[in-house]
Amino acid sequence: MDLIAEKKKTYYDVEKLLADKPDARYYFLLSGRSRGKTYGVLRRSVRDHNDGLGLFAYVRRYDEEIKGKNIQELFSPQNIDELTEGKYNKIAFWRGFFYLEKWVYDEELGQMKREYKNPEPCGVALALNTWERNKGQDIGAAYNGFKNIIFDEAITGMNYLNNEFQTFKQVISSLVRDRYDQDTKIWFLANPLSKWCPYFPNLGITKKMIEKPNQRFEIHYPDTDMTTIFEYIGSPKEENSTPNKVYTTFFAFPNSESKSKSITEGFWELEDSMQLPSQVYKNSEFKKKVKLYFGEQWIKGEIMRYNETGVYYVVWSPSKAPKKGEYYFILNAVPDKYAIIGTNTGHPYAELLNKIMRTNQIYYSDNTVADLFHGFIKESRKIVR
């Protein structure tokens, strides 16, 4: 992995990645927090603009994420003076655009004041849910196009937009227009919040690629020279294998070790799932079984009735593909009478599952299965009947 040390802390080195893999179009960087991936890509974007290579676009999912103090302070960790060779020392955000400015200390006022501002923007901030307001404008036409397009927080543990990947492609199209000969780099930056992400299947990122950190994959596409680099950045190897100080100081809770380590070491940050006591399962009557396909994986749901109370519940666990005649849930329409498209179909299995979900009697064999089921339900609710 490409790492740089700064003040005894190790950060991811975007420059080394670009030196190793300079010809890719897309770069998907997945890691725990505070690994420096956003810092590194933004730093490179400012340097590229200073070299006359084009604007950068900073993209988030929702418009409220590009407002207020957070967006104003996005570049505060950067040494703008160094990146612009002394011409500027600050980046300001105003009405959707980023501008380079030079600030100096005023002896009379006893405070910093702006000496001058570049009237041309160095970058723009966009949100996927409101991008259509600007889609008719060729933002990059007057400013040498876009060199870097950065989608920050590409994975969410909450909800994705309807047809989000299609929306993202439309944003890219709006920004690059017909400047196909410009070496635009498109960045996905993400924390491991959920193993379900609509960008994974569309970009060709497989289950194997997201299994463990410290892996890099090069993805090619048929009949094109377009390439995606996917890298799952792990925790840096500290000298003498000493424990992670952030983890041991703040997050060493015994009952949520894996989730805490997602913050410090890049492991998947999956919600702790509801697991059924084995005694309850042994004292229950099996009623039905249904399978579910999502995120390149099959899971099965056993619908059970607890003998002591008569309560119905479902236990989800990993499974193989269904045999002929077995019902299964899926999101896409397929020519199979046993396929149940989503959970709002009115199918008896769907109605039964919805009824059990309303009583919160859903259990899982592990957190990964829970993550898949929750992802399926979120996407299923978007299906319009």
Side-chain angles (χ1 to χ4, degrees):
M1 297 299 100
D2 304 328
L3 306 170
I4 57 176
E6 182 177 315
K7 294 181 180 179
K8 296 184 179 180
K9 186 170 181 178
T10 308
Y11 294 95
Y12 182 76
D13 189 354
V14 170
E15 299 299 324
K16 181 66 165 58
L17 169 65
L18 289 171
D20 290 345
K21 302 292 181 180
D23 299 324
R25 180 67 66 196
Y26 290 86
Y27 297 85
F28 198 119
L29 304 182
L30 174 69
S31 79
R33 296 172 177 84
S34 301
R35 293 307 321 282
K37 54 188 182 295
T38 301
Y39 173 88
V41 174
L42 291 176
R43 179 180 175 85
R44 176 62 183 235
S45 299
V46 175
R47 179 174 288 162
D48 284 343
H49 176 267
N50 187 65
D51 292 341
L53 299 178
L55 299 169
F56 62 84
Y58 181 74
V59 182
R60 295 294 294 265
R61 185 167 285 106
Y62 297 106
D63 56 337
E64 58 261 31
E65 296 172 321
I66 56 171
K67 296 177 181 177
K69 185 176 181 180
N70 286 342
I71 196 71
Q72 291 286 355
E73 299 295 326
L74 182 65
F75 287 91
S76 59
Q78 304 284 349
N79 187 339
I80 304 301
D81 184 78
E82 174 196 339
L83 295 174
T84 62
E85 300 170 316
K87 291 181 288 187
Y88 305 96
N89 56 13
K90 183 178 179 180
I91 292 182
F93 182 73
W94 188 65
R95 293 188 176 181
F97 290 89
F98 296 96
Y99 294 89
L100 286 160
E101 298 180 342
K102 179 75 171 184
W103 285 66
V104 297
Y105 185 76
D106 189 301
E107 295 288 351
E108 292 184 8
L109 296 175
Q111 62 184 31
M112 299 292 290
K113 73 171 185 179
R114 189 174 70 190
E115 185 175 37
Y116 55 84
K117 167 186 173 181
N118 189 331
E120 295 187 353
C122 59
V124 61
L126 298 170
L128 294 183
N129 70 323
T130 58
W131 77 276
E132 290 191 350
R133 298 175 188 173
N134 300 316
K135 72 175 183 179
Q137 309 172 35
D138 188 355
I139 301 171
Y143 308 114
N144 199 24
F146 284 87
K147 175 61 177 174
N148 293 284
I149 300 172
I150 308 146
F151 183 20
D152 206 359
E153 306 291 348
I155 295 178
T156 179
M158 303 300 288
N159 294 315
Y160 292 94
L161 303 178
N162 289 340
N163 300 314
E164 182 168 317
F165 184 70
Q166 184 66 20
T167 299
F168 183 79
K169 289 193 298 181
Q170 290 170 343
V171 171
I172 298 301
S173 176
S174 180
L175 294 177
V176 301
R177 299 289 171 141
D178 59 353
R179 293 180 287 272
Y180 58 87
D181 56 342
Q182 184 169 11
D183 186 23
T184 302
K185 304 297 187 186
I186 302 166
W187 302 85
F188 294 89
L189 309 177
N191 298 321
L193 300 175
S194 170
K195 289 186 176 181
W196 159 242
C197 171
Y199 298 96
F200 286 171
N202 283 291
L203 293 174
I205 298 170
T206 65
K207 176 184 173 183
K208 177 184 177 182
M209 296 179 187
I210 64 172
E211 280 182 351
K212 57 185 179 180
N214 297 310
Q215 296 189 101
R216 177 189 290 171
F217 296 90
E218 190 168 325
I219 305 167
H220 299 276
Y221 306 93
D223 303 319
T224 176
D225 58 359
M226 190 177 77
T227 302
T228 292
I229 301 298
F230 173 76
E231 185 159 347
Y232 186 176
I233 307 163
S235 174
K237 294 182 179 179
E238 306 293 342
E239 292 184 9
N240 301 321
S241 300
T242 55
N244 185 299
K245 291 296 184 182
V246 175
Y247 172 76
T248 57
T249 303
F250 295 103
F251 304 113
F253 305 114
N255 293 328
S256 58
E257 179 179 357
S258 62
K259 196 169 182 180
S260 295
K261 285 190 175 181
S262 70
I263 299 173
T264 58
E265 300 184 18
F267 293 110
W268 287 100
E269 186 175 339
L270 307 181
E271 292 294 329
D272 294 329
S273 62
M274 292 278 289
Q275 296 186 3
L276 186 73
S278 59
Q279 194 59 38
V280 172
Y281 184 83
K282 291 177 181 178
N283 194 24
S284 298
E285 180 184 358
F286 172 81
K287 290 295 185 181
K288 297 177 184 294
K289 179 175 67 176
V290 65
K291 295 189 176 182
L292 182 154
Y293 183 76
F294 189 69
E296 300 184 82
Q297 297 182 62
W298 286 99
I299 60 175
K300 67 179 179 183
E302 296 176 273
I303 301 171
M304 311 290 289
R305 180 182 179 276
Y306 186 39
N307 294 331
E308 292 188 10
T309 62
V311 170
Y312 282 81
Y313 63 89
V314 182
V315 182
W316 292 96
S317 59
S319 178
K320 297 180 180 179
K323 299 177 181 177
K324 186 176 181 180
E326 288 186 321
Y327 284 98
Y328 58 94
F329 288 100
I330 196 169
L331 290 178
N332 303 318
V334 293
D336 185 351
K337 67 178 181 179
Y338 295 101
I340 308 168
I341 314 303
T343 57
N344 301 318
T345 62
H347 189 281
Y349 273 96
E351 292 296 304
L352 180 57
L353 179 60
N354 287 327
K355 182 178 180 180
I356 295 174
M357 283 196 294
R358 287 193 291 270
T359 65
N360 202 31
Q361 295 297 320
I362 307 291
Y363 301 91
Y364 312 94
S365 61
D366 56 54
N367 291 351
T368 295
V369 169
D371 184 56
L372 289 170
F373 180 76
H374 294 159
F376 179 87
I377 295 301
K378 289 174 184 176
E379 294 301 308
S380 176
R381 288 170 178 164
K382 298 175 184 177
I383 298 175
V384 179
R385 297 292 173 188

